[in-house]
Amino acid sequence: MSETEIMCSIVVGFFGFHSIRMLQSFFNAHLHKPHIKQVGSLFSHLIVSTTKSRFFISSLADHSSQSSSSSSVNEEAIKTHVDLSAIDCSRIVKSVILRCSHLWETNSVKPFGYSSLKEHLLGISDISPETTRKFRRVSELKPEDVLEILLGFQFHRENPQIESGKVESLWGIFKWSNDQNKGFKHLPQSCEIMASMLIRVGLLREVESLLAEMESRGVLLDGHEIFSNLVEGYVCVSESERAISVYDQMRGRGLVPSLSCYNVLIDHLVQTNEKQLVFRVYLDMVEMGFDLSNAEMANLENVIRLLCRDGKIQEGRSLVKKVMGLGLNPISLILDEIANGYCEKKDFEDALSFFVEMNCAPSVVVGNKIMYSLCRDFGTERADLFLQELEHLGFSPDEITFGILISWCCREGKLKNAFIYLSEILSRDLKPDICSYNAIISGVFKEGLWKHAQDILHEMVDMGIKPDLLTFRVLLAGYCKARRFDEAKATVGEMVNYGLIQLCSQEDPLSKAFMVLELDPLAIRVKRDNDVGFSKTEFFDNLGNGLYLETDLDEYEKKVTGILEDSMVPDFNLLITRACAGGNVKTAMMVVDEMVRWGQELSLSAFSALLKGLCASRFSIKAVTGLLEKMPKLVNQVDEETLNLLVQTHCKKGFIGKGKIILNGMLQRHLSVKSETYVALLAGLCKKGNSRTIRCCWDLARRDKWLLELKDCKVLVGCLCQQKFLKEALELLESMLATYPHLRLDVCNMFLEKLCVVGFTSIAHALVDEFLQQGCILDHTAHSHLISGFCKEKRFSEAFTIFESMQAKNLVPCLDASILLIPQLCRANRVEKAIALKDLSLREQSIDSFSVHSALMNGFCKTGRIGEAAILFQDMLSNGLLPDIEICNMLVFGYCQANSVRKVTELIGVMIRKDLGFSISVYRNVVRLLCMNGMVLTLLRMKELMLRENNYPHLIVYNILIYHLFQTGNSLLVKVILGEWHKKGLLFDEVTYNFLVYGFLQSKDVPTSVQYLTAMISKELRPSSRNLRAVISCLCDSGMLRKALELSREMELRGWIHGSIAQNAIVGCLLSHGKPKEAESFLDRMVEKGLIPDNINYEILIRQFCWHGRLNKAVELLNIMLKKGNLPNCSSYDSVIQGFCTLNRLDEAVDFHTEMLDRKLRPSIKTWDALAHKFCQDGRTAEAESLLVSMVQMGETPTREMYTSLINRLRSENNLSKASELLQAMQLSGHAPDFGTHWSLISNLNRSKDKDSANRGFLSRLLSERFWKPILEKGHGISILDFILRLITIIGTLGKLKLICSLMNLHGLLMPCMEETLTNNIQYHQQA
């Protein structure tokens, strides 16, 4: 260690970092003094060395403001940090994933084999409750039952986007019924419906499983539609291999895909560049003999383009022949693609034979491309012959066609032919292109005919063609080549006249000409030859003086000749490159269009420059996509930098599919993919929400060993957290911690911030806990993120806990966290801690003390501590902190809450004097206070002050006043205000009308309320839902049914939803007026017109319709509630069940009762009693017994009447043993049987044929004290003596002598009068 480093360590240890900062400030302030310079130099070195020795990391750029404001307290705590490079990142992340997995793992559906039928039916009961209800009690399903369920689901579903969970429940029913017995066979229609449902929600592999299983069981389906939809489904999720596999299976079984299936598959194969497959599939479609429409012809164009650009021209040609064999004529674009293919192969004879075979001519664009290629590769003579052949086929050349010939003739030195083609253009009434004139002018100069250049220029102008910069460059180059510098100067003057250049009076025109030609004017001098023999003379001026150029003549001639040569055949690629380099992408795109007309192709360099320019500009992404589609070959040659930029641009603009295709091409070429590219793709996929695709891309990026930069990581973490891909975000955290061991604290803080911002502070907290368990002591930034997150999620107790832990560690929250926490501490009655936090924050964040004071002021005012708020206000003034309007708003709010009118008026005076103005919130609070205290005059003055001193709309001021006047019941003053309103000519808005309608209604002024409601509707303003339901309810309650119905009809005409309260009021009123049919008709219209809200509640109407005997309507309303996702309450089900029992529709009652239990609803005792009574009445004793058992299992106690009904039914069926058991259960439940029931059981023993030991047990129970004692105690209208005599008589007839003997000692009740009866019975049985 050097001496300087040792000294640095000593200084740091002795003074600390805070002192070093003070020293640094001192040196900076006195650095100009000589005696300080040497020490300052040493200090600078010290600071650098010290900084290098610190083992903790500063925050990221986003946290720089927080880091820069960190205090000595926080620095002292930071010193205790351990080295984060020593932590086990993998262990931390895995532990957090294990602890928090419940936050992103959805409740997994039970395997179909383990779910019950009841659970599956419950899953779809809100779609078709009437269908599922009847199958709740069955033990097994028939094939017809499954079909009925599927049809019910298909018929009743309203939304075509079926929820996946519903279809999974249907699939569960389908599988359950299939597995219930080996002989079960689904109906073919059921299989087809099930398959279509599965395909619609993307459960494609389940469809394949269904088809395979049905085929193994011998169920043959009409798989045409199913397979077609399955192929389309796989295409939609970009599973090409599965789509082709299903397609091949389909064709192998002799099934023909639908036309839409063919179109979708072909389009997908074209997009994925599958040349062989797309050719096979399209050829198959053609051979199937479909009537091909425009869509199929468009696909044919794409297929032909794909084949021809891959060199498979013969396959494309044969495909066109096949299509023509169907009597269809391919569009010209298809023929042009084949011609383009031949042109690229320079096979012009085959191209011509193709046009002859098709008996058609190419388009002008393709024809020009052929002409350009012929001229370039074989010369103008062959091109001219080919043009004649094309014209014979009907080709119509345009001015560009002849312009191409003109250009190449000039290049070949055939100026005469160029003029012939120019005359041909004019003879055909075409207008020559400016490039043609530029080429001819160049050719004229090249042939030394410079005198005719001006004639051509004049003819060009006469034709209405304005010369451009290139035209004048040709003229200047030609004149300079011919040494006609006077003409060159004149040309410069013309350029100035056309506004192409600027020339000041001091500039030499000839020098300007050299500059236009990109020649150095200082290196070229025109000199006069003064030798007698003119040995140096190159040319003469108009006066005959011999002149020569003093310059590098070879370079000079090369430059001007090059300009003339380049101007003959326009080089559009050079123009595009220059335009892109200058940032003029729009001009470049225009040049591309012109380039296509001239039959030229983009070079790779120009293509790359154009793509980069488009990606960097604000041009539409469609322009980029269109360019890529037109140049597929060049795309495969573009460098990786451009391709990375393309993927990023497409993903950022939302074209994720196109970005993925380009990325796949890069991977096939083994090009390097930048981390920014993966980030852009993953961010785009997160917005789409396709978790499977995200996972695939994620795995791909990790396999590619991407290396994320911190800025990219921050973007990606935000997207992952926003879309709740939390597990992936934590995996990214693990990767980043491993990649950047020296920046682990920064990475950790960044992740904590993002998790807390998007509402996953729990995960952030778990992450912090894991770091702490590893022995890490995180800085104040990490804890501040937790506080901010918990406060935003309104989990203040957790925020307080974090704050207390920070206090224990001598850490202070960041400013943002403190501002959020201080008001909440006040609300939690922790004022001392709030004030302490304020003081700490002021010490740490002295720059922004106003925000800290505002936070505490907010806490005081919101919690009614207005005294503390006033003291704080004075403290702010004494510290020179001028209060703003927000602070005054808080104080006004606090004083209003305290009902302190005097303080409010004083504060308003201060605000007026300080010219702070009034916010709407201040005005609102003051108006509310004044209305509550009845201070009308002050209220009106306040209103005038707001109108005079502020620029708020008058409507807002009046609306607030009217609202609070109504709230305090002062409707008379409202009418006065309305009169003033009308005098000012102000018009009511929607808010005003709503206030008036509801206010007058609350004031019991119904006519005025209805008047304003009618006026509002007539002005095509929509009243609030609250007003509509309130007015309708009031009208119905007041007996004004007709007006309520009129208002409802107005709502129907406008398609306004009728809420629950409105419907209940109207229907209830109709029913009370004895109009049930009108009530049902009203509800039917609500359904037909879709005017029912999603939160509809018909519980009151269900009970009313049951009470009126309209049970079917009650059931219909209950079903509507279920379909809207609203569960009716117990009383609704009770009413329906009791109604069915009354109408002797027991099975339906039981269905609803079963549904009620399945939905965890508790029937009333009356419902249980009605069902038990009907079971007994219909002789269904087993079901009655089961009902009682269910009731007891639910914790309910059956009534005495329920027991009696069932016992009597069992007695009538002579099931005495069962009756006895039930009688005992009845007593255990606390019910005493009446004498009639008890005696009838005993009497039936005499008629019972069963006199074996079974009855002895029964008699023993009957004669037990526990059994008969309650009867004797209750009385039941019979004396004890009579009861015992009857028992003895019956028992004697049964021959139960031992029982008689035991009865004789029955608690000493035997009397002398009973001896004769007893003796006679004994003698009778002895004789027997």
Side-chain angles (χ1 to χ4, degrees):
M1 181 181 292
S2 66
E3 292 182 3
T4 304
E5 291 174 330
I6 294 172
M7 189 171 184
C8 292
S9 301
I10 294 172
V11 172
V12 171
F14 185 78
F15 291 104
F17 285 104
H18 187 63
S19 299
I20 288 177
R21 289 187 175 179
M22 294 173 61
L23 285 172
Q24 186 179 24
S25 301
F26 173 80
F27 286 129
N28 290 337
H30 301 83
L31 200 60
H32 63 281
K33 298 181 179 180
H35 63 280
I36 295 295
K37 288 184 178 179
Q38 187 176 359
V39 181
S41 175
L42 174 63
F43 179 78
S44 301
H45 186 78
L46 184 148
I47 291 296
V48 172
S49 303
T50 305
T51 304
K52 292 180 180 178
S53 68
R54 295 175 67 177
F55 55 81
F56 58 91
I57 310 300
S58 63
S59 298
L60 290 174
D62 286 359
H63 307 108
S64 60
S65 61
Q66 296 175 353
S67 298
S68 62
S69 62
S70 61
S71 67
S72 60
V73 177
N74 287 328
E75 287 174 352
E76 186 67 29
I78 291 174
K79 289 184 191 180
T80 62
H81 289 188
V82 299
D83 188 354
L84 292 182
S85 62
I87 64 174
D88 186 351
C89 305
S90 178
R91 179 181 173 184
I92 288 177
V93 172
K94 287 178 180 177
S95 180
V96 173
I97 291 174
L98 186 63
R99 287 175 58 180
C100 304
S101 59
H102 63 280
L103 295 175
W104 59 78
E105 289 180 356
T106 56
N107 294 327
S108 56
V109 181
K110 289 183 180 179
F112 297 122
Y114 296 97
S115 297
S116 65
L117 177 63
K118 181 176 74 173
E119 291 173 325
H120 292 313
L121 288 172
L122 192 62
I124 61 169
S125 59
D126 58 340
I127 301 295
S128 179
E130 57 269 43
T131 303
T132 58
R133 191 172 289 132
K134 64 178 69 174
F135 298 110
R136 289 183 180 277
R137 295 184 294 130
V138 300
S139 58
E140 64 179 29
L141 294 173
K142 300 176 183 178
E144 297 80 8
D145 298 337
V146 177
L147 178 60
E148 184 178 354
I149 293 172
L150 291 170
L151 288 173
F153 183 89
Q154 193 177 38
F155 177 77
H156 285 288
R157 65 176 178 85
E158 297 177 358
N159 187 359
Q161 301 296 328
I162 310 173
E163 185 185 344
S164 178
K166 304 298 181 185
V167 178
E168 287 180 357
S169 295
L170 273 180
W171 178 235
I173 294 171
F174 193 89
K175 293 281 290 179
W176 183 90
S177 58
N178 201 39
D179 297 340
Q180 64 184 352
N181 64 69
K182 295 182 179 179
F184 188 92
K185 283 189 177 182
H186 283 290
L187 299 174
Q189 188 180 359
S190 299
C191 299
E192 292 168 9
I193 295 174
M194 189 70 254
S196 66
M197 294 289 182
L198 291 170
I199 291 171
R200 191 172 287 115
V201 297
L203 298 174
L204 306 177
R205 283 172 173 76
E206 283 77 1
V207 179
E208 290 195 72
S209 171
L210 168 63
L211 294 174
E213 187 172 351
M214 292 302 104
E215 186 176 354
S216 66
R217 294 196 175 201
V219 179
L220 299 178
L221 304 177
D222 181 12
H224 165 85
E225 184 178 355
I226 296 174
F227 276 100
S228 295
N229 291 336
L230 188 56
V231 172
E232 292 185 43
Y234 277 126
V235 168
C236 288
V237 295
S238 301
E239 292 195 37
S240 304
E241 294 181 3
R242 304 289 300 183
I244 290 297
S245 174
V246 175
Y247 170 79
D248 289 338
Q249 291 179 40
M250 189 178 186
R251 299 300 293 125
R253 298 180 185 188
L255 299 173
V256 179
S258 65
L259 190 56
S260 66
C261 174
Y262 272 119
N263 284 330
V264 169
L265 183 58
I266 289 170
D267 185 62
H268 177 70
L269 293 175
V270 168
Q271 292 292 329
T272 54
N273 209 27
E274 298 287 349
K275 309 171 190 64
Q276 294 293 342
L277 286 173
V278 74
F279 174 69
R280 175 165 67 88
V281 173
Y282 199 96
L283 190 61
D284 184 39
M285 181 182 73
V286 172
E287 291 175 349
M288 289 298 103
F290 285 106
D291 292 332
L292 303 182
S293 62
N294 292 334
E296 289 75 44
M297 295 306 288
N299 269 338
L300 177 61
E301 179 189 347
N302 293 331
V303 173
I304 296 297
R305 182 185 298 115
L306 187 64
L307 293 172
C308 291
R309 289 177 179 176
D310 194 51
K312 303 182 184 300
I313 304 171
Q314 198 57 41
E315 286 87 341
R317 189 168 178 173
S318 63
L319 198 56
V320 171
K321 288 181 181 178
K322 286 276 187 183
V323 172
M324 293 184 68
L326 298 175
L328 297 172
N329 293 321
I331 58 177
S332 60
L333 291 175
I334 296 174
L335 304 179
D336 286 349
E337 289 297 337
I338 296 178
N340 270 326
Y342 281 125
C343 187
E344 289 180 7
K345 294 177 68 175
K346 300 181 181 179
D347 195 350
F348 301 107
E349 298 303 325
D350 281 347
L352 188 60
S353 69
F354 171 71
F355 288 124
V356 172
E357 182 181 357
M358 295 291 108
N359 192 24
C360 65
S363 65
V364 174
V365 172
V366 174
N368 289 348
K369 185 174 182 180
I370 294 173
M371 295 305 297
Y372 183 86
S373 300
L374 282 168
C375 289
R376 180 191 61 198
D377 299 327
F378 300 102
T380 54
E381 290 185 6
R382 185 171 176 183
D384 185 70
L385 294 173
F386 200 92
L387 177 60
Q388 295 175 27
E389 295 286 348
L390 290 180
E391 286 188 285
H392 181 70
L393 291 171
F395 176 69
S396 298
D398 64 353
E399 65 277 5
I400 302 298
T401 312
F402 292 110
I404 293 170
L405 291 167
I406 290 171
S407 298
W408 285 101
C409 284
C410 292
R411 173 70 65 85
E412 295 172 0
K414 300 176 181 179
L415 189 58
K416 179 180 178 182
N417 291 345
F419 277 107
I420 292 173
Y421 289 125
L422 181 61
S423 64
E424 187 69 24
I425 292 175
L426 298 174
S427 66
R428 299 191 183 207
D429 292 329
L430 299 174
K431 185 177 181 180
D433 187 81
I434 189 172
C435 294
S436 300
Y437 278 113
N438 291 343
I440 290 177
I441 293 172
S442 297
V444 166
F445 279 118
K446 187 179 179 182
E447 295 297 326
L449 303 173
W450 58 269
K451 293 181 180 179
H452 300 286
Q454 282 295 324
D455 297 333
I456 299 171
L457 179 64
H458 293 154
E459 180 184 335
M460 173 181 169
V461 174
D462 292 340
M463 291 289 296
I465 301 172
K466 183 180 177 181
D468 59 5
L469 183 61
L470 181 60
T471 306
F472 286 108
R473 274 173 58 87
V474 172
L475 288 168
L476 289 175
Y479 287 132
C480 288
K481 182 178 177 61
R483 305 301 192 268
R484 307 302 301 176
F485 294 114
D486 290 336
E487 286 79 358
K489 294 177 182 179
T491 302
V492 169
E494 290 185 62
M495 293 178 70
V496 173
N497 295 334
Y498 276 102
L500 297 175
I501 59 171
Q502 292 181 352
L503 184 70
C504 60
S505 58
Q506 292 82 11
E507 282 186 286
D508 178 27
L510 187 58
S511 296
K512 193 70 172 180
F514 291 148
M515 293 173 63
V516 171
L517 295 176
E518 298 177 1
L519 293 170
D520 184 5
L522 299 177
I524 304 173
R525 295 183 180 275
V526 179
K527 290 193 174 184
R528 188 170 65 180
D529 187 0
N530 294 321
D531 292 344
V532 177
F534 296 109
S535 58
K536 297 181 180 179
T537 298
E538 297 180 21
F539 57 96
F540 297 90
D541 61 9
N542 295 330
L543 299 176
N545 294 315
L547 304 174
Y548 69 93
L549 287 179
E550 186 180 70
T551 186
D552 185 346
L553 291 178
D554 291 336
E555 185 65 28
Y556 177 86
E557 290 294 335
K558 180 180 178 182
K559 184 67 177 179
V560 294
T561 304
I563 292 174
L564 293 176
E565 290 284 347
D566 293 340
S567 301
M568 292 178 183
V569 179
D571 187 353
F572 292 106
N573 281 304
L574 180 62
L575 295 175
I576 291 170
T577 304
R578 287 178 175 175
C580 291
N584 199 342
V585 183
K586 186 176 180 180
T587 301
M589 290 298 293
M590 294 172 62
V591 174
V592 170
D593 294 336
E594 188 69 15
M595 184 181 198
V596 172
R597 292 184 63 206
W598 279 80
Q600 296 187 29
E601 292 186 347
L602 272 172
S603 65
L604 181 58
S605 59
F607 183 64
S608 297
L610 186 57
L611 287 176
K612 290 177 181 178
L614 287 171
C615 291
S617 68
R618 295 182 179 180
F619 241 77
S620 171
I621 189 65
K622 292 182 180 180
V624 182
T625 304
L627 194 63
L628 295 177
E629 291 176 352
K630 292 176 183 177
M631 314 289 176
K633 280 190 175 180
L634 289 177
V635 175
N636 295 327
Q637 302 173 29
V638 172
D639 60 283
E640 62 184 33
E641 180 184 356
T642 306
L643 290 174
N644 274 292
L645 185 60
L646 282 173
V647 177
Q648 294 170 29
T649 304
H650 278 90
C651 293
K652 290 175 182 177
K653 297 292 182 66
F655 289 78
I656 310 299
K658 191 64 181 177
K660 284 172 58 183
I661 292 174
I662 298 172
L663 178 64
N664 291 335
M666 292 180 66
L667 296 174
Q668 290 172 4
R669 291 171 58 190
H670 305 290
L671 298 178
S672 175
V673 181
K674 292 184 177 180
S675 62
E676 296 95 323
T677 304
Y678 282 122
V679 169
L681 181 57
L682 283 168
L685 290 172
C686 285
K687 293 177 182 178
K688 297 291 183 181
N690 190 333
S691 57
R692 186 182 63 83
T693 310
I694 290 173
R695 171 53 65 181
C696 292
C697 183
W698 181 265
D699 294 339
L700 179 63
R702 298 188 73 176
R703 284 198 303 269
D704 203 16
K705 297 180 180 179
W706 62 338
L707 183 62
L708 281 178
E709 296 182 7
L710 288 179
K711 61 182 180 64
D712 298 325
C713 177
K714 187 172 184 179
V715 173
L716 185 54
V717 169
C719 293
L720 290 172
C721 293
Q722 195 71 43
Q723 298 300 322
K724 299 184 180 180
F725 291 105
L726 303 173
K727 185 178 180 182
E728 287 78 3
L730 290 171
E731 290 175 355
L732 179 60
L733 170 61
E734 180 182 356
S735 174
M736 293 299 295
L737 291 174
T739 305
Y740 297 100
H742 59 293
L743 294 174
R744 285 182 173 175
L745 184 59
D746 295 349
V747 173
C748 179
N749 282 335
M750 180 185 64
F751 270 81
L752 292 174
E753 179 188 11
K754 289 298 179 182
L755 287 168
C756 294
V757 165
V758 298
F760 293 105
T761 313
S762 297
I763 299 178
H765 194 195
L767 189 59
V768 170
D769 284 346
E770 291 298 328
F771 272 104
L772 295 177
Q773 289 177 16
Q774 288 271 340
C776 305
I777 304 175
L778 299 176
D779 64 1
H780 70 294
T781 305
H783 294 83
S784 297
H785 289 320
L786 294 180
I787 291 176
S788 299
F790 281 131
C791 287
K792 290 174 182 177
E793 296 174 22
K794 301 190 183 304
R795 297 166 61 183
F796 302 116
S797 60
E798 289 96 327
F800 298 156
T801 303
I802 300 297
F803 173 58
E804 289 169 359
S805 69
M806 290 185 71
Q807 284 184 308
K809 298 172 185 176
N810 201 23
L811 296 174
V812 180
C814 297
L815 179 63
D816 293 342
S818 298
I819 291 173
L820 290 173
L821 189 60
I822 288 173
Q824 304 309 325
L825 287 169
C826 294
R827 290 184 178 181
N829 203 25
R830 302 184 182 186
V831 181
E832 295 80 7
K833 290 194 174 183
I835 295 173
L837 178 57
K838 184 263 295 184
D839 294 337
L840 280 173
S841 298
L842 290 178
R843 284 203 298 269
E844 303 298 317
Q845 315 282 351
S846 58
I847 298 175
D848 199 359
S849 60
F850 192 87
S851 299
V852 180
H853 281 91
S854 297
L856 186 59
M857 179 75 72
N858 184 22
F860 284 153
C861 293
K862 291 293 177 66
T863 55
R865 292 179 172 85
I866 193 62
E868 290 91 335
I871 294 172
L872 181 63
F873 184 74
Q874 293 298 328
D875 185 45
M876 291 178 67
L877 292 175
S878 63
N879 290 327
L881 296 175
L882 295 178
D884 63 357
I885 191 169
E886 184 179 354
I887 295 288
C888 293
N889 286 345
M890 294 178 192
L891 278 173
V892 169
F893 175 80
Y895 284 129
C896 289
Q897 291 292 101
N899 200 23
S900 179
V901 178
R902 184 177 63 83
K903 289 290 186 181
V904 169
T905 53
E906 289 177 0
L907 186 58
I908 290 175
V910 172
M911 294 172 70
I912 294 173
R913 288 192 299 273
K914 297 287 185 180
D915 197 23
L916 294 176
F918 299 102
S919 69
I920 287 296
S921 61
V922 168
Y923 174 67
R924 184 186 299 110
N925 286 318
V926 173
V927 167
R928 180 179 60 84
L929 178 66
L930 295 176
C931 287
M932 287 172 57
N933 288 275
M935 303 175 69
V936 176
L937 293 178
T938 307
L939 180 66
L940 295 178
R941 291 194 195 102
M942 185 68 188
K943 180 257 299 179
E944 292 299 328
L945 181 64
M946 281 294 291
L947 294 176
R948 185 177 63 253
E949 300 293 337
N950 296 278
N951 295 323
Y952 295 112
H954 288 196
L955 273 177
I956 295 177
V957 175
Y958 277 109
N959 284 340
I960 292 173
L961 180 60
I962 288 172
Y963 172 80
H964 287 289
L965 286 172
F966 274 128
Q967 288 294 99
T968 53
N970 200 341
S971 59
L972 293 177
L973 187 56
V974 170
K975 292 182 179 180
V976 174
I977 298 296
L978 291 177
E980 177 186 328
W981 198 319
H982 289 304
K983 287 181 182 178
K984 291 186 176 182
L986 298 175
L987 298 177
F988 296 164
D989 63 356
E990 186 175 319
V991 176
T992 311
Y993 274 115
N994 277 315
F995 283 167
L996 292 174
V997 172
Y998 192 76
F1000 282 117
L1001 197 66
Q1002 293 297 101
S1003 302
K1004 309 301 181 184
D1005 191 352
V1006 178
T1008 306
S1009 176
V1010 173
Q1011 173 190 337
Y1012 280 111
L1013 181 67
T1014 305
M1016 186 179 187
I1017 294 175
S1018 67
K1019 294 181 182 296
E1020 298 302 325
L1021 297 174
R1022 178 166 183 169
S1024 66
S1025 299
R1026 181 184 71 168
N1027 281 348
L1028 289 172
R1029 64 173 176 262
V1031 171
I1032 288 175
S1033 297
C1034 185
L1035 291 173
C1036 291
D1037 293 341
S1038 304
M1040 292 184 279
L1041 177 60
R1042 183 178 59 81
K1043 287 189 176 181
L1045 290 174
E1046 288 176 358
L1047 177 57
S1048 173
R1049 278 192 288 273
E1050 291 291 336
M1051 293 172 65
E1052 284 184 47
L1053 290 173
R1054 289 164 174 78
W1056 294 348
I1057 297 293
H1058 286 56
S1060 303
I1061 295 175
Q1063 291 193 46
N1064 288 336
I1066 292 173
V1067 174
C1069 195
L1070 287 170
L1071 291 175
S1072 64
H1073 283 71
K1075 298 179 179 180
K1077 290 185 178 178
E1078 289 84 347
E1080 292 185 7
S1081 176
F1082 171 80
L1083 291 170
D1084 291 340
R1085 288 201 310 275
M1086 295 296 103
V1087 175
E1088 291 170 5
K1089 296 182 179 181
L1091 303 180
I1092 301 176
D1094 290 335
N1095 61 343
I1096 190 65
N1097 189 326
Y1098 283 132
E1099 291 169 351
I1100 296 174
L1101 295 185
I1102 290 171
R1103 293 194 294 272
Q1104 289 183 350
F1105 275 110
C1106 289
W1107 188 82
H1108 283 82
R1110 301 278 181 169
L1111 199 57
N1112 290 339
K1113 195 63 183 178
V1115 171
E1116 183 181 327
L1117 295 180
L1118 188 143
N1119 289 338
I1120 290 174
M1121 285 188 67
L1122 291 173
K1123 291 175 184 177
K1124 291 287 186 178
N1126 306 308
L1127 181 63
N1129 61 10
C1130 299
S1131 62
S1132 300
Y1133 276 97
D1134 286 335
S1135 301
V1136 171
I1137 294 169
Q1138 294 167 25
F1140 279 127
C1141 290
T1142 303
L1143 298 176
N1144 294 319
R1145 294 161 64 178
L1146 183 56
D1147 286 332
E1148 293 170 84
V1150 176
D1151 288 341
F1152 275 93
H1153 182 261
T1154 305
E1155 179 178 326
M1156 193 177 183
L1157 297 180
D1158 289 346
R1159 294 185 183 279
K1160 310 300 182 186
L1161 298 175
R1162 298 181 73 88
S1164 66
I1165 296 297
K1166 190 176 180 181
T1167 298
W1168 290 102
D1169 188 72
L1171 287 171
H1173 179 74
K1174 292 303 297 182
F1175 277 136
C1176 294
Q1177 184 179 337
D1178 290 1
R1180 297 160 67 171
T1181 52
E1183 293 175 77
E1185 288 183 66
S1186 177
L1187 186 73
L1188 263 65
V1189 172
S1190 299
M1191 191 174 180
V1192 172
Q1193 290 174 348
M1194 288 185 63
E1196 299 283 356
T1197 302
T1199 63
R1200 184 171 177 271
E1201 290 75 15
M1202 294 170 66
Y1203 279 117
T1204 302
S1205 297
L1206 184 53
I1207 290 171
N1208 289 337
R1209 186 67 201 182
L1210 291 170
R1211 177 180 56 78
S1212 66
E1213 295 175 357
N1214 205 25
N1215 192 346
L1216 304 181
S1217 177
K1218 207 68 167 175
S1220 170
E1221 293 175 3
L1222 199 61
L1223 198 63
Q1224 187 178 12
M1226 178 180 177
Q1227 287 185 304
L1228 291 173
S1229 298
H1231 301 301
D1234 57 24
F1235 178 76
T1237 301
H1238 205 156
W1239 185 252
S1240 63
L1241 283 174
I1242 298 173
S1243 301
N1244 282 341
L1245 290 175
N1246 192 30
R1247 297 189 297 272
S1248 175
K1249 296 179 181 180
D1250 186 11
K1251 301 186 186 235
D1252 56 6
S1253 60
N1255 276 336
R1256 288 196 293 272
F1258 172 53
L1259 285 172
S1260 299
R1261 289 194 300 273
L1262 284 179
L1263 296 178
S1264 65
E1265 179 180 358
R1266 181 173 56 83
F1267 198 88
W1268 55 260
K1269 189 173 182 179
I1271 298 176
L1272 297 181
E1273 290 174 351
K1274 297 285 183 181
H1276 295 292
I1278 184 171
S1279 66
I1280 296 175
L1281 178 61
D1282 190 26
F1283 175 69
I1284 294 177
L1285 287 174
R1286 291 188 186 185
L1287 277 177
I1288 291 173
T1289 303
I1290 294 172
I1291 293 171
T1293 58
L1294 293 172
K1296 307 299 181 181
L1297 301 181
K1298 291 183 180 180
L1299 287 175
I1300 294 175
C1301 294
S1302 64
L1303 195 62
M1304 291 172 65
N1305 299 315
L1306 194 62
H1307 292 272
L1309 293 175
L1310 187 59
M1311 298 180 182
C1313 59
M1314 300 165 62
E1315 293 180 0
E1316 184 179 353
T1317 303
L1318 183 58
T1319 304
N1320 291 336
N1321 274 291
I1322 292 172
Q1323 289 176 355
Y1324 171 77
H1325 285 289
Q1326 285 177 345
Q1327 292 173 2

